[in-house]
């Protein structure tokens, strides 16, 4: 069983420009299409790199805090983070010759501690909708209308 959802969209910006946004936790609310990311917590690194931990203020019904760890990193190409449950949010960037970048965002719950339980919930479908909105926000941030 495939335990991930991915969406790809061409963004009107270079891979380094997009990667700079992804690696700045303060900017994550700009991206969030789910409506759950409220802001970065104090004490986060200025720029994310492999092994970095960063905390975000969230709200899904109730307010809560989530701490993530960067588990995959390839400068200007790939970044992924996970939190305590183990599922991952992955961003892959593929530059195009015209200066745009194909961005693929993936929600991967295969490594989650409760993957089988998540299979039976609407979370993966909801995350696919949120990913589409996130990529739309990213495109608008860089000037696409």
């Amino acid at each position: 069983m495939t335990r991930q959802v991915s969406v790809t969209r061409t963004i009107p910006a270079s891979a380094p420009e997009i990667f700079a946004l992804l690696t700045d936790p303060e900017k994550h609310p700009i991206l969030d299409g789910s409506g759950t990311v409220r802001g970065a917590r104090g004490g986060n690194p200025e720029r994310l790199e492999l092994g970095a931990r960063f905390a975000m203020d969230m709200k899904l019904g109730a307010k809560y805090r989530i701490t993530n760890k960067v588990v995959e990193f390839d400068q200007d190409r790939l970044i992924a983070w996970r939190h305590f449950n183990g599922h991952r949010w992955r961003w892959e960037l593929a530059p195009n010759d015209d200066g745009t970048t194909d961005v693929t965002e993936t929600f991967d719950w295969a490594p989650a501690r409760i993957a089988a339980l998540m299979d039976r919930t609407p979370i993966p479908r909801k995350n696919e909708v949120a990913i589409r909105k996130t990529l739309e926000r990213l495109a608008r941030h860089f000037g696409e209308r």
Side-chain angles (χ1 to χ4, degrees), residues 96-107:
N96 298 312
D97 291 338
D98 64 358
T100 64
T101 304
D102 293 334
V103 177
T104 301
E105 183 184 0
T106 301
F107 171 66

Side-chain angles (χ1 to χ4, degrees), residues 14-28:
S14 70
E17 289 173 297
I18 296 166
F19 203 77
L21 185 66
L22 295 173
T23 57
D24 182 351
E26 293 289 330
K27 302 284 195 281
H28 286 193

Side-chain angles (χ1 to χ4, degrees), residues 7-44:
V7 178
T8 301
R9 182 169 177 155
T10 302
I11 305 299
S14 70
E17 289 173 297
I18 296 166
F19 203 77
L21 185 66
L22 295 173
T23 57
D24 182 351
E26 293 289 330
K27 302 284 195 281
H28 286 193
I30 292 171
L31 301 170
D32 176 42
S34 72
T36 60
V37 178
R38 298 298 184 211
R41 304 270 310 179
N44 284 331

Side-chain angles (χ1 to χ4, degrees), residues 102-131:
D102 293 334
V103 177
T104 301
E105 183 184 0
T106 301
F107 171 66
D108 180 5
W109 69 98
R113 294 180 184 153
I114 57 169
L117 177 62
M118 289 185 70
D119 292 340
R120 296 183 209 104
T121 71
I123 292 171
R125 286 185 309 280
K126 286 182 177 182
N127 281 333
E128 183 175 359
V129 170
I131 288 170

Side-chain angles (χ1 to χ4, degrees), residues 44-104:
N44 284 331
E46 198 170 299
R47 291 279 178 244
L48 300 177
E49 58 186 28
L50 188 63
R53 293 182 184 277
F54 65 102
M56 305 300 289
D57 288 322
M58 310 287 288
K59 184 175 182 191
L60 183 59
K63 292 179 182 179
Y64 63 100
R65 174 187 170 184
I66 197 85
T67 300
N68 300 288
K69 180 180 179 182
V70 177
V71 294
E72 296 177 61
F73 188 93
D74 182 6
Q75 181 68 42
D76 297 333
R77 297 292 181 154
L78 169 73
I79 187 167
W81 53 80
R82 67 165 174 78
H83 63 63
F84 69 93
N85 188 39
H87 56 269
R88 294 177 187 226
W89 293 96
R90 180 180 297 114
W91 296 79
E92 297 170 272
L93 309 179
N96 298 312
D97 291 338
D98 64 358
T100 64
T101 304
D102 293 334
V103 177
T104 301

